Amino acid sequence: MASQNPEPGRPPGSDEEVITQALRRSLVVLVLLCVVAAGAVWWLQRRPVPQSTTLAPIQSPIASDTGRGPRPPTVRFTDITREAGIRFTHHNGAQGKKLLPETMGGGVACFDLDGDGDADLLFTSGTDWPDSEHGTRGTATSILYRNDTQPGGPIRFTDITAGSGLDVPFYGMGVACGDLDGDSRTDLLLTGVGGLRLFRNLGEGRFVDITGPSGLPASSSEWSTAAAWFDLDRDGDLDLFIGHYVEWSPQMDREVNNQLVGVGRAYGRPWLFPGTFPSLYRNDGPVAPGGVPRFTEISARSGLRIQNPATGLPMAKTLAVAPIDLNDDGWMDLVVANDTVQNFVFTNRHDGTFQEIGAQSGVAFDAYGQTRGAMGIDAARFRPDRALGIAIGNFANEMNALYVAQPTKDTLVFADEAITEGIGPASRLLLKFGLFFFDYDLDGRLDVLTTNGHIEEEIEKVQSNVRYRQPAQLFWNGGGNQTFISATAAEAGSDLFQPIVGRGSAYADFDQDGDLDVVMTQIAGPPVLLRNDQTLGNHWVRLRAIGRKGNTDAIGAWIHARTEDGRRISRQVMPTKSYLSQSELPINIGLGQSRMTEARIQWPDGRETSFTPVPDQTTILRQP
């Protein structure tokens, strides 16, 4: 409709009049929009400015003052490293070039080298790099300590490395222990940069290198990390799994040239390097008296070589492995912890091959389908319902994982219950390496210890709330709705929580008093040996299983027990756990104030025998 009041001189309905009216309406709308925008700005400016969020520096856990639920008992861990005679310092060969292996070692093994019933110690170490300015003067080797503790006396170790046969230069990472030839002496395998080293135990503290004659690669370009002896085919002898980290060389590391803002050159990240395949070696025993065990590589046909589906290249970046029978079929399976790529779950097909079901089982990723930086691993039945748990220590700003078997017909379905079980949120800021289940207070419930430390010395320049040296974390299993509760320095002693650049960790009853002591390693520094000084008066049994043929330590056997207060307890004979490390073989079972009423052992070949343990003593179990 035409305007009823046209401007003077403009006829009604003319083009000029229409344009004029349109312009006026546009100006009105524009003014209204400006008013609304001004009002919005005023409203936002009058709201209080939110305070910036900062993360608290890492420190030892502090007990909650809410008074809700039980607290861990007082069990003091005492640092006795120097007092016990340990003088070892880890050597990584670092001279400022920031080569990745320098920050990834090293492991520790608690094993009985001389058959006297107590746990001795082996620490792995690196060496100087070939182009080192120190030449061979700074070369280091693994260090072997004999346990000379007398009954009732203080823990004492003697360095017997010189002349042991282990005093050879090798850039070592991990260690695996097992009797490979059935002579009842524990042999040693070392992993590291540039191959493997297999040492046969000759007795009296002497070892001989049999890597070449055994069929294992004495020299290669591979960087081996996790290793485990286990009987994959139930033929009575020990086979070998070897995990490799990334494809690496000094030249590749220099070309990657990883940089951190404010720091400069920094240690490379695993996603900057190609992945690898793990290796599997079958033991072709039995070994003739005085002969050398022979191994055949079966990696290609075993099903362990997982490829990236997009590129066809090797996927694994392995740092830890947990051999365990996941589905109760009597055959050993493997759970493999990978750094920044998915974890693997290999189920045993009973024919020398494995099927990878990590994604289907729920263990490959976190709850959001993301990969994490997995370091140490352990698996155990940690709850009263005997649910199998797989615990993994992950990178900084990633929580521990605790994959728990779900009560379904399919026994290979797991869910990450780290948050609800209590070991998740408290662990997020820390960079976790060593991790294992153990019962430190002898109440019959398995607790968790993690050993922590960052990879970059100057990380504080980038993240002010993160430290290079970090305290350990001890999670007490209280058996409640939230299974694990962080122990404090007041409850476990400040020595346990001293900040270190933690890596490997293991446990053993070094003084044979019934409770478990702890050893932790660190990069370019001394280890920490912690004596367990609990005085709770809880009962315990200690079980040493002796198998037949080539597996005289009965690795892979299961102990099942019942107590008079109705609890069911299951423990696996397995030294391989944590990060690059081995814990002692005897099984310690805490009983609290109860007694064991029923006990049986399921041997690696599937047969079972019952036994009557002696309270507060060691019971020896022999396979019939």
Side-chain angles (χ1 to χ4, degrees), residues 232-233 329 331-333 346-354:
L232 77 91
D233 47 14
D329 65 353
W331 294 74
M332 295 295 291
D333 310 300
F346 294 107
T347 56
N348 198 320
R349 287 174 162 168
H350 309 175
D351 60 359
T353 67
F354 293 81

Side-chain angles (χ1 to χ4, degrees), residues 96-342:
K97 297 179 181 179
K98 297 293 183 73
L99 301 178
L100 185 55
E102 296 169 357
T103 195
M104 300 305 294
V108 57
C110 305
F111 74 110
D112 187 356
L113 77 91
D114 46 15
D116 63 354
D118 56 25
D120 308 291
L121 282 170
L122 177 94
F123 296 99
T124 68
S125 187
T127 63
D128 286 334
W129 297 109
D131 60 352
S132 168
E133 298 174 359
H134 297 156
T136 59
R137 292 175 297 171
T139 298
T141 73
S142 296
I143 300 296
L144 181 65
Y145 284 97
R146 184 185 63 222
N147 190 337
D148 288 332
T149 304
Q150 298 301 312
I155 298 176
R156 290 286 185 271
F157 287 93
T158 302
D159 186 343
I160 60 169
T161 309
S164 67
L166 300 173
D167 49 344
V168 293
F170 177 61
Y171 204 103
M173 285 282 156
V175 56
C177 306
D179 177 11
L180 311 182
D181 48 13
D183 64 358
S184 299
R185 291 192 289 260
T186 302
D187 309 299
L188 297 173
L189 178 118
L190 301 184
T191 64
V193 179
L196 308 168
R197 295 292 184 275
L198 178 60
F199 293 93
R200 186 177 191 176
N201 190 336
L202 302 177
E204 299 181 350
R206 294 184 300 116
F207 293 80
V208 61
D209 189 335
I210 59 169
T211 313
S214 73
L216 298 180
S219 178
S220 75
S221 60
E222 295 178 317
W223 174 359
S224 53
T225 51
W229 296 105
F230 74 113
D231 188 355
L232 77 91
D233 47 14
R234 290 180 59 168
D235 65 351
D237 54 31
L238 293 175
D239 310 291
L240 176 63
F241 171 90
I242 297 290
H244 302 98
Y245 189 31
V246 294
E247 184 181 336
W248 180 89
S249 70
Q251 180 180 354
M252 289 177 63
D253 209 324
R254 287 190 290 267
E255 290 174 353
V256 164
N257 193 28
N258 186 51
Q259 299 282 322
L260 282 180
V261 177
V263 173
R265 178 167 169 79
Y267 287 110
R269 300 297 184 257
W271 57 80
L272 300 174
F273 299 89
T276 59
F277 288 133
S279 299
L280 189 63
Y281 294 89
R282 185 188 64 225
N283 190 332
D284 292 331
V287 181
V292 174
R294 293 283 304 176
F295 295 90
T296 299
E297 184 173 5
I298 59 172
S299 309
R301 62 178 182 269
S302 69
L304 299 188
R305 291 189 169 183
I306 306 302
Q307 297 174 323
N308 185 313
T311 65
L313 298 175
M315 182 184 292
K317 298 181 180 182
T318 300
L319 288 176
V321 60
I324 191 164
D325 180 4
L326 291 170
N327 50 10
D328 291 325
D329 65 353
W331 294 74
M332 295 295 291
D333 310 300
L334 298 168
V335 185
V336 176
N338 288 316
D339 190 4
T340 71
V341 299
Q342 68 187 65

Side-chain angles (χ1 to χ4, degrees), residues 19 107 132 174 183 242 249 275 284 339 352 360 393 422 507 511 519 539 597 613:
I19 293 172
S132 168
D183 64 358
I242 297 290
S249 70
D284 292 331
D339 190 4
Q360 300 95 304
Y507 62 78
D511 50 6
V519 59
H539 298 294
T597 59

